[in-house]
Amino acid sequence: MAQESPKNSAAEISVTSNGEVDDSHGFDSTKEGVTEAGAFQAGGQRTQAKSGPVILADEIKNPAMEKLELVRKWSLNTYKCTRQIISEKLGRGSRTVDLELEAQIDILRDNKKKYENILRLAQTLSTQLFQMVHTQRQLGDAFADLSLKSLELHEEFGYNADTQKLLAKNGETLLGAINFFIASVNTLVNKTIEDTLMTVKQYESARIEYDAYRTDLEELNLGPRDANTLPKIEQSQLLFQAHKEKYDKMRNDVSIKLKFLEENKVKVLHNQLVLFHNAIAAYFAGNQKQLEQTLKQFHIKLKTPGMEAPSWLEEQ
């Protein structure tokens, strides 16, 4: 009679419906050569046979990979924008132009240069006037001293001393008005206008990005449409739409800022130009009362006269 073949030990292992090993058949888990409950996946990766969700290794987020992806996206965006700029400069690429908005921006930049020139000239005038006032005050003191020491010319030196001191006083008042004018125009040019121009720069960057991704989408749409290109076209469409929304938002922001800037500029310059004119006219007309009234009208207060430093003004 043929000898019965021995049974394979693995055949003695029964598994329950939940995947656990049933040792009711006397299977000895301590025997050599028996592996732990579990399975090997492709590539030799081992996973524990536990209940609940299993997290695969390739799904774990890697911070280094995330940073690398951000750098890749930034580099790609930079490349596209650089290519768009070069293409525009060479006259090969098209650019989106809002004629009305572009004209307003050009006028703003031109006005800023002109206001900066007025600011420089006004600062020069202030410096020169301060030097003259300082000299007049010293001359008045010298005349006053000689008036006391020269009895035969007491009245003549005295008249000149009073005149120079009065001129110095009126000069300080005018200097205060000019410095107040300078401070206000400086705020308008270097803060208010500059803030608007920063928004303009952001708008121009958004416009370049918009045109860069628009060009990409147009080039893809001109090519074949198959299983390989359709996903690229869809992705390009999404990126184009996102940059279009950003461009539209920045264009609207610039329009609003330009409107408010124009209103604020007219108001500020109107007041400052009236102040400058009235102060200069009253000073050279020798109208001390009108000169002082001008400063009161604009709520300007002088510091203590006779100081060695310029009499800077403070707004109440």
Side-chain angles (χ1 to χ4, degrees):
M1 184 175 64
Q3 186 178 1
E4 185 178 354
S5 61
K7 294 181 179 180
N8 191 310
S9 60
E12 298 294 333
I13 304 175
S14 62
V15 182
T16 63
S17 61
N18 62 0
E20 297 179 351
V21 177
D22 184 2
D23 58 358
S24 61
H25 293 278
F27 176 74
D28 188 355
S29 62
T30 62
K31 290 181 180 181
E32 294 182 2
V34 180
T35 60
E36 296 178 356
F40 282 87
Q41 293 182 341
Q45 186 179 357
R46 186 190 188 99
T47 58
Q48 294 292 330
K50 296 180 180 179
S51 60
V54 177
I55 301 177
L56 300 180
D58 58 352
E59 291 180 352
I60 300 177
K61 293 184 178 179
N62 189 329
M65 294 300 294
E66 288 183 343
K67 291 181 180 179
L68 185 62
E69 179 64 16
L70 289 175
V71 171
R72 187 190 70 82
K73 290 181 178 179
W74 175 84
S75 300
L76 182 61
N77 185 73
T78 302
Y79 163 74
K80 290 180 182 294
C81 292
T82 303
R83 185 183 65 175
Q84 177 67 25
I85 293 172
I86 294 175
S87 178
E88 290 177 7
K89 288 184 177 180
L90 294 176
R92 298 174 183 173
S94 62
R95 64 185 297 263
T96 303
V97 179
D98 187 321
L99 295 177
E100 182 179 356
L101 190 61
E102 294 288 340
Q104 293 176 2
I105 293 172
D106 288 342
I107 291 173
L108 174 62
R109 285 181 170 141
D110 185 58
N111 282 340
K112 184 174 185 288
K113 292 179 181 179
K114 293 177 179 178
Y115 297 155
E116 286 172 340
N117 184 49
I118 289 177
L119 196 56
R120 284 191 296 268
L121 293 173
Q123 288 169 339
T124 301
L125 178 62
S126 174
T127 301
Q128 294 171 343
L129 179 60
F130 168 73
Q131 294 296 334
M132 186 179 73
V133 168
H134 181 66
T135 302
Q136 287 174 332
R137 187 166 294 280
Q138 288 183 320
L139 187 59
D141 291 339
F143 281 144
D145 181 61
L146 286 170
S147 175
L148 297 175
K149 297 178 181 178
S150 302
L151 297 179
E152 67 279 7
L153 296 172
H154 170 73
E155 292 186 0
E156 288 81 351
F157 278 125
Y159 292 150
N160 279 281
D162 292 341
T163 300
Q164 292 300 320
K165 288 181 179 180
L166 178 61
L167 288 174
K169 179 181 178 182
N170 290 343
E172 282 196 344
T173 305
L174 176 62
L175 185 63
I178 293 175
N179 288 335
F180 186 80
F181 172 84
I182 290 172
S184 298
V185 175
N186 181 67
T187 299
L188 174 66
V189 173
N190 294 314
K191 291 185 179 180
T192 309
I193 293 180
E194 188 60 31
D195 176 70
T196 302
L197 288 177
M198 286 297 296
T199 305
V200 169
K201 290 179 181 178
Q202 294 172 359
Y203 156 74
E204 290 174 341
S205 296
R207 197 278 304 165
I208 292 172
E209 289 181 344
Y210 165 69
D211 279 336
Y213 284 90
R214 175 183 56 79
T215 300
D216 268 1
L217 180 60
E218 290 173 353
E219 291 176 353
L220 286 173
N221 283 328
L222 291 175
R225 304 176 71 87
D226 52 35
N228 292 327
T229 59
L230 282 177
K232 294 181 180 179
I233 294 175
E234 292 177 358
Q235 179 66 16
S236 180
Q237 179 67 43
L238 291 175
L239 291 171
F240 164 75
Q241 187 62 35
H243 284 88
K244 182 179 184 302
E245 291 174 359
K246 179 181 178 181
Y247 166 72
D248 289 339
K249 179 182 180 301
M250 291 308 305
R251 180 174 59 181
N252 184 62
D253 289 349
V254 170
S255 297
I256 292 173
K257 281 204 169 186
L258 285 173
K259 179 181 178 181
F260 285 132
L261 173 62
E262 185 64 22
E263 295 174 355
N264 184 52
K265 181 196 72 175
V266 171
K267 181 180 178 180
V268 169
L269 288 181
H270 169 76
N271 291 336
Q272 294 306 315
L273 290 172
V274 169
L275 163 69
F276 192 84
H277 170 269
N278 291 349
I280 292 287
Y283 172 80
F284 283 100
N287 193 335
Q288 180 182 359
K289 183 177 180 181
Q290 181 62 37
L291 183 59
E292 293 175 351
Q293 184 63 33
T294 298
L295 267 67
K296 291 180 181 179
Q297 177 185 355
F298 288 88
H299 308 288
I300 302 172
K301 180 176 65 177
L302 284 172
K303 288 187 177 180
T304 304
M307 298 174 62
E308 291 300 320
S311 301
W312 293 100
L313 299 173
E314 296 177 340
E315 184 177 3
Q316 291 182 343

